[in-house]
């Protein structure tokens, strides 16, 4: 199983906005219980569907969190060619996430 790579305010533009294809970004915080529940689900989805998934700590990276309105955690955003094409708020079970992400999964 993969460990999800982290992104920061400083690297957000190059790691997410300039990335080709589809990138899913999880906005999370260490104190957030639902975030801790969501991470292994996102790892499995990333492995099973060859999806690029990154995490950004909302507490440590307030610029991106504010810009993308990650106000309640976890928030998962799907980026394609630098644009948000899907926002999922809260932790969901794997089947529900796969259903919502179906248009972006290979």
């Amino acid at each position: 199983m993969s460990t999800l790579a982290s992104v920061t305010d400083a690297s957000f533009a190059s790691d997410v906005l300039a990335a080709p294809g589809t990138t899913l970004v999880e906005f999370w915080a260490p104190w957030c219980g639902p975030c801790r529940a969501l991470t292994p689900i996102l790892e499995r989805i990333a492995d099973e569907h060859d999806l690029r998934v990154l995490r950004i700590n909302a507490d440590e990276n307030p610029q991106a969190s504010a810009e993308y309105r990650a106000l309640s955690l976890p928030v998962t955003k799907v980026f394609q060619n630098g644009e948000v094409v899907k926002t999922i708020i809260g932790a969901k079970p794997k089947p529900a996430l796969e259903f919502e992400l179906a248009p972006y999964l290979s």
Side-chain angles (χ1 to χ4, degrees):
M1 181 178 286
S2 70
T3 300
L4 301 179
S6 292
V7 63
T8 64
D9 279 346
S11 66
F12 200 87
S14 60
D15 288 345
V16 178
L17 303 181
T22 302
T23 302
L24 188 143
V25 179
E26 176 195 10
F27 290 81
W28 71 286
W31 50 262
C32 170
C35 299
R36 289 192 302 271
L38 181 60
T39 299
I41 295 169
L42 291 176
E43 288 175 337
R44 286 201 312 272
I45 290 173
D47 287 344
E48 293 172 9
H49 298 280
D50 195 28
L51 177 67
R52 186 167 180 257
V53 180
L54 302 174
R55 302 175 81 209
I56 185 164
N57 183 320
D59 289 345
E60 295 175 358
N61 299 281
Q63 183 179 339
S65 300
E67 184 172 344
Y68 292 98
R69 295 184 172 91
L71 303 176
S72 77
L73 301 176
V75 173
T76 306
K77 297 201 177 255
V78 179
F79 289 81
Q80 287 185 324
N81 303 314
E83 299 291 324
V84 176
V85 295
K86 177 82 173 175
T87 298
I88 301 168
I89 298 172
K92 298 181 186 295
K94 185 173 177 268
L97 266 178
E98 285 179 317
F99 179 78
E100 290 204 42
L101 295 171
Y104 315 104
L105 300 177
S106 55

